[in-house]
């Protein structure tokens, strides 16, 4: 693509997105609205079950309740989440 630099960007703005106009913002009661990253609105680590590393619990019906977990919503955790994409990809391979 003309004008598109394939090199790594010099900034990190792509690592954080905050949607204060969202009807659910902030979606976690214990979250800091001034440092709330909406980029991972649906946590990619959810699929890792007990290995996700977040503050979750299992409900009696077996569903995972992540309402007390703000890990994916903290600005500083972008790299910690994206570094686990290979793990998630392996999990998908196992299921197919």
């Amino acid at each position: 693509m003309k004008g598109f630099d394939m090199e790594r960007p010099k900034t990190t703005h792509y690592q954080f997105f905050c949607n204060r106009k969202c009807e659910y913002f902030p979606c976690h009661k214990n979250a800091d609205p001034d440092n709330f990253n909406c980029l991972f609105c649906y946590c990619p680590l959810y699929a890792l079950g007990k290995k996700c590393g977040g503050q979750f619990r299992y409900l009696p019906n077996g569903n995972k309740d992540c309402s007390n977990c703000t890990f994916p919503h903290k600005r500083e955790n972008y790299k910690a989440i994206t570094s686990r994409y290979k793990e998630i990809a392996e999990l998908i391979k196992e299921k197919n």
Side-chain angles (χ1 to χ4, degrees), residues 17-78:
F17 167 73
C18 185
N19 183 7
R20 290 182 176 270
K21 291 184 180 180
C22 177
E23 296 81 359
Y24 301 102
F25 183 83
C27 59
H28 295 269
K29 293 177 186 174
N30 56 341
D32 174 6
D34 293 327
N35 187 31
F36 194 85
N37 193 354
C38 299
L39 186 63
F40 300 113
C41 178
Y42 291 96
C43 182
L45 303 180
Y46 183 90
L48 297 175
K50 293 178 182 177
K51 297 178 185 176
C52 74
Q55 298 268 307
F56 70 92
R57 67 185 180 111
Y58 282 106
L59 299 173
N61 65 4
N63 289 339
K64 205 170 159 187
D65 173 12
C66 304
S67 59
N68 288 321
C69 182
T70 58
F71 184 81
H73 299 296
K74 292 182 180 176
R75 180 188 305 259
E76 63 270 16
N77 291 338
Y78 175 86

